[in-house]
Amino acid sequence: MWLSNIFPVNHSNIPYYNISQNLVQKPSGQTQHNDGPNTSVFFRFLRRFTSAKKIDGGSRTEEEEKLYSWIYALAQSEKDLVYEYVQSTERGLSFAEADRRLKETGPNIPLENTFPQWWNLLWSASFHPFNIILLVLSVLSYIASDNPNGCIMLILVFISVSLRFYQEFSSSKAAMKLAEFVRCPIKVQRCAGRIVQTEVQVKVDQREVVPGDIVIVGPGDLFPGDVRLLESKHLVVSQSSLTGESATTEKTAYVREDNSTPLLDLKNICFMGTSVVSGSGTGLVVSTGLKTYLSTIFSKVGKKRPADDFEKGIRHISFVLISIMLVVVSVIVLSVYFTSRDLSKTILYGISVASALTPQMLPLIVNTSLAKGALAMAKDRCIVKSLTAIRNMGSMDIICIDKTGTLTVDFATMVNYFDSWGSPNETVLHFAFLNAYFQSQNKHPLDDAIMAYAYTNGFRFQPSKWNKIDEIPFDFTRRRVSVILETKISAKDEKISGNRVLITKGALEDILRICSFVEHIDKGVILTFTKEDYRRISDLAERLSNEGYRVLGLAMKQLLPEVKVSSMIYEEDVESSMVFVGLISFFDPPKDSAKQALWRLAEKGVKAKVLTGDTLSLAIRICKEVGIRTTHVITGPDLESLDTDSFHETVKRSTVFARLTPTQKLRVVQSLQTKGDHVVGFLGDGVNDSLALDAANVGISVDSGASMAKDFANIILLEKDLNVLIAGVEQGRLTFGNTMKYIKMSVIANLGSIISLLIATLIFGFEPLTPMQLLTQNILYNLGQIAIPWDKMEDCYVKVPQRWSLKGLAMFTLWNGPLCSASDIATLLFLLLYYKVSRLDFEFFRSAWFVEGLLMQTLIIHLIRTEKIPFIQEVASWPVVCATILISSIGIVIPYTTIGKILGFTALPLSYFGFLVVLFLGYFSFGQIIKKGYILVFKTWL
């Protein structure tokens, strides 16, 4: 025989749904907020921040509890009671009532679009603490007639803001794209007539659908709101917009659910944004607009992203420097004023000192580093939409990834074929091949997988010896496909009594339903299909499913050649009394690069967790193959039942999360961020991943992903390959490291310089540098730092995640800052003791002080940038070395030039440069000793 393998409710506990509030009322005794039109806007705004329930652990928000209570109440109720809850009738709403409700509830839009406008992006790019400081100092400089200083600071701000604004505006992140849900016509049943009301069906825009409307849906239609089914016929719905999984689900109006059924598995409830695949139905709209399940999910967008540690740290630094600036500048200004009694000159000098204390290049260095990182990632086929995501990539220590298409190749391959006793049998493969080969309508990738398996394994089934008579195409009601074939050769050679056969493959349960016989191929006999056969085949299929395989069933039936085909095809019982012949298993294999990529990420301190809406068994199978530990796994329904503490502990411990809803993915990410103190990346490509993408520190999607997922992502991969992420992690750490070099160097150098200026001012009674000299020194120093984004980082630095630490910066400054001031004080003592400098020698003193200060600020980068001995064990990149040589040379030469004379400098003796050589050798020697001590204590440097 030739075979083919394929594929009672307590109503008193139900809360009443008030159309006017579109909310489930709380049981009596609980306080309800009245947010009616007379409620103060201020108090409503205040309540939002004081009484809103925080999402924590596995618990639901107040809004979610209301929605769950409402949906489950409807799912458990009879149709008559459902009409009562939503205050509707079997005929539907009248046009007047629908208009009234539309005015009351507002347009049926799932979420208001919050696309960032260009001025929002410009404000975000401009509102940086140091930009504000520079703008204030620039204004003060213009007021004090110090136009060059004011102009330079404005230019620095303009360049910094322009870089960031251009990068983010060119690929601005849209917060929502739900337009596809609000632009389709919906067939609605309304009642009309003043005396005798009649039912009419009209098409309205989805935005005009209101609670209480009766909608009629068919293949391809979107549900315009949350709907309680009233009637259904073979209704199959795709919920991929909510679950991310391509598998469809059957819905029926003729069941009454209970609270043990997961929300998305409710058979008589359809949700906004899901679509009809096949069949038809009639449903009562119970929730629209902002009260739907879809809106409840996406209402969390943009509200749960944790504060950026780096930006918080920058703001803390700015406040500290402003405080120091106010104290030091006040002391210096008062000291100079009491000596010179020239108020305008004193104010100008104070502005110059304040300018010197401000890390003027910080915004520019940060944004240049990020922009350079974005260009480098673009070469690795990554589109960076948010510059800060590059920096966060360097700090990321956990990456949450979806399974399908990320760890797997996203297409199934055939693995094996079994007869009904679980033994491999070539005859099963033969008929599966014929079914796949001759199927022409709605061809599925699994058909290609069957043919590819047969060809690559050397099977030659000679389809040319068969004629296709007809085909019964696949549909979601039958969930199977059949072909009718007729052999061209004699029945004797083919070992069958007839030459026409019906071969059917499809979902196993649907194949078993139409089988009355089973063939024992080895014995060559056909037996009656028994309960024992059913149990044995089901157990085999369950074992395969638990191992992560997808299973299809295969059946066949001999047909009499004299029967007309056209009369058979349309008979409902043609696919009946068939012979079950076997199973075919398929598997979506892991990518060849996935295991290596995960191993490389782990080497860099990034742990992987799998968050998927797929089954646990399949997720475990894939994770085992790519090297992810599966000792701790959990499913979404199990997570939902945990209390807060258990939830966080489970999230911390588990590596595989299966059957997750979009909200559960969000909560897992938030738990890792808040309770685990991790910097979390999320890689996803579906609408169901949007919440987690928005909440993650680094949201990553792919170019082939859903448009909404790409809108929420910070980074878009042009290749769905984890290896691309590794380059992004390395680039992020390089960017972070170079930024930290400048921050630590500038804080140490600027504080040391200001303290030295204060000491020199108090000793001499006049400003050590004039405002113009101080401005020139700042300009040269800042120009020298432009090359920092092009510096390299040591290999050990990019091997571990890097986090901002304000305490670490403070300790770094306390350890290394005094050395800069000590070098300046050593110079001051040398000038006083060796050259006998007095108040009358201010030109010589200022020239010497200018050169030493500029060289100190220029060379310090080489001490700060590496743990090793600078210039000996580690040399900076050539742009940094060239910038150092150029700026140092200019600083040394200026006193001998005409420009130097204009600035008030004088030529310096060679003996002073001999002192500087000794000074800097001592500075680097002591600096290296301090560095080793710091690393010994804190186990890190940058």
Side-chain angles (χ1 to χ4, degrees), residues 328 331-332 335 752-766 768 821-822 824-825 828-829 832 845 849:
V328 174
V331 173
I332 292 177
S335 176
S753 175
I754 294 303
I755 292 172
S756 303
L757 282 172
L758 175 60
I759 294 173
T761 302
L762 294 176
I763 292 176
F764 286 96
F766 64 86
S821 296
D824 290 337
I825 293 172
L828 179 61
L829 292 174
L832 288 173
F845 175 82
W849 190 269

Side-chain angles (χ1 to χ4, degrees), residues 8 82 248 256 337 400 477 508 527 610 727 738 811 842 881 883 941:
V82 172
T248 57
R256 289 170 61 186
Y337 175 73
C400 297
T477 302
L508 180 62
L527 306 173
V610 174
N738 284 332
M811 296 306 299
F842 56 83
V881 172
W941 179 238

Side-chain angles (χ1 to χ4, degrees), residues 128-138 153 318 322 325 358:
H128 189 286
F130 288 114
N131 283 339
I132 303 301
I133 294 173
L134 290 176
L135 288 173
V136 171
L137 292 177
S138 176
M153 285 187 281
S318 67
I322 289 173
M325 182 192 305
T358 305

Side-chain angles (χ1 to χ4, degrees), residues 830-889:
F830 181 75
L831 293 175
L832 288 173
L833 298 176
Y834 186 80
Y835 291 111
K836 310 296 182 182
V837 173
S838 65
R839 293 186 177 185
L840 299 177
D841 301 322
F842 56 83
E843 285 189 359
F844 176 77
F845 175 82
R846 286 171 175 166
S847 300
W849 190 269
F850 173 88
V851 173
E852 185 273 338
L854 179 61
L855 293 179
M856 173 65 68
Q857 292 179 325
T858 304
L859 293 173
I860 190 175
I861 179 61
H862 296 278
L863 180 67
I864 298 298
R865 63 171 299 277
T866 177
E867 296 182 6
K868 301 176 182 178
I869 301 175
F871 304 115
I872 298 175
Q873 294 179 326
E874 174 69 13
V875 180
S877 63
W878 69 265
V880 174
V881 172
C882 292
T884 300
I885 295 173
L886 178 62
I887 299 302
S888 299
S889 301

